[in-house]
Amino acid sequence: FYFGTHRIQTMSRFLVLALLFSQAAATLQPQSDLTHSCFGFPAKSFHRNNNVKSTYGSSPHTGGGLQVGDFAYDFTLQDLDGNDVTLSNLINKKPTLLLWGMWTCPAFQGLGNTEGSDAKFSKCSYEHEWDLVEKYSDKVHVVHLVGPEPHPLSPDTNFDEGVFKMSYWSTTRQPKTYEDRLVMAEKIREYVHPSASLLVDTLSSEVGESNQGVWCTMGLGARTSMLINQGGKILHTMDWFDADEVSEAIDALP
């Protein structure tokens, strides 16, 4: 009787663990629910009545409006070597930080290191990102995402307000094809830590094709960040990545 009872209790524990694991693995919202082709881009251009701020009241609209405590969306994107990378596979191994950063983003390029710059950009550059990945690569997986350029050359307008807002990093026009976006991603490859996954969001003008689903659903900014635990739940977000604050969020992980 004891053997039978012990065996039943052991089997029950395994069943509970299996159930918990299956629930954790299933908590990401499905990739099929991603929002595509926001603002009609690239078939349409951003303009004063077609941009993040005019649509949502402010820019960035971090995480597409997802809040801390919500479940993130699953997605699969390719890295620059053509390999598929799926978020659910990553979080099954360790918590994951999603971090956007494009070539024409002054915050990514180090705007905060210049005299008189806004304090919110002081820990926002690719150098701060590199150091964070270096420190925490054993604890979290960092995914560096590339989407639309925030400060393209004229006559292209920015996605924040639909206006011309060029900076000294505005060295290129807005990519309108996936191939052109890959070129921009190649520019920043050397600035992204090799332990991070550098992924490029899709881009297409063809009806029915995948088009910026990750940026439209979990981006809507130039340098936003989102920390996701292994259950798929969002633990921390930032309008503008700050290495010190994100480090504190990572340190608080169990």
Side-chain angles (χ1 to χ4, degrees), residues 60-196:
H61 186 59
T62 302
L66 289 173
Q67 304 295 317
V68 170
D70 291 341
F71 291 108
Y73 287 81
D74 201 8
F75 64 81
T76 299
L77 294 175
Q78 288 191 338
D79 63 20
L80 293 182
D81 297 316
N83 302 307
D84 287 343
V85 178
T86 300
L87 179 59
S88 54
N89 292 339
L90 295 178
I91 66 170
N92 281 339
K93 300 174 183 176
K94 63 179 74 170
T96 298
L97 175 69
L98 304 183
L99 178 58
W100 295 88
M102 281 69 83
W103 179 257
T104 63
C105 175
F108 171 72
Q109 294 284 3
L111 172 68
N113 299 330
T114 60
E115 185 177 351
S117 62
D118 194 316
K120 68 183 176 183
F121 301 128
S122 63
K123 300 289 183 178
C124 199
S125 73
Y126 65 84
E127 294 173 319
H128 297 107
E129 175 184 339
W130 183 287
D131 291 344
L132 182 137
V133 178
E134 184 81 19
K135 181 178 180 180
Y136 291 105
S137 59
D138 290 338
K139 192 170 184 178
V140 299
H141 192 94
V142 176
V143 175
H144 184 107
L145 293 156
V146 176
E149 292 296 328
H151 293 279
L153 280 175
S154 174
D156 296 322
T157 51
N158 75 342
F159 57 73
D160 286 312
E161 299 177 325
V163 297
F164 303 122
K165 192 174 285 188
M166 292 179 286
S167 73
Y168 43 89
W169 297 110
S170 300
T171 58
T172 183
R173 292 192 59 182
Q174 183 71 262
K176 298 293 182 67
T177 67
Y178 182 69
E179 291 72 22
D180 287 343
R181 181 171 285 177
L182 286 174
V183 172
M184 299 307 301
E186 284 286 357
K187 284 179 173 288
I188 66 171
R189 187 202 283 258
E190 65 178 293
Y191 300 95
V192 176
H193 196 286
S195 294

Side-chain angles (χ1 to χ4, degrees), residues 7-58:
R7 185 177 183 183
I8 290 173
Q9 290 175 338
T10 301
M11 291 178 65
S12 297
R13 284 196 292 269
F14 276 122
L15 286 171
V16 170
L17 289 172
L19 177 60
L20 289 173
F21 178 81
S22 65
Q23 289 176 337
T27 46
L28 283 173
Q29 300 188 60
Q31 180 169 328
S32 58
D33 287 350
L34 290 173
T35 298
H36 292 268
S37 302
C38 54
F39 308 106
F41 181 83
K44 296 180 181 179
S45 297
F46 300 106
H47 54 74
R48 291 184 180 275
N49 297 314
N50 185 48
N51 59 75
V52 175
K53 188 174 182 179
S54 68
T55 301
Y56 298 104
S58 65

Side-chain angles (χ1 to χ4, degrees), residues 62-64 66-67 72-73 96-100 217-219 224-228 234-238 246:
T62 302
L66 289 173
Q67 304 295 317
Y73 287 81
T96 298
L97 175 69
L98 304 183
L99 178 58
W100 295 88
T217 312
M218 297 195 294
T224 63
S225 67
M226 176 185 292
L227 181 63
I228 305 166
I234 300 169
L235 300 181
H236 184 267
T237 65
M238 294 202 74
V246 172

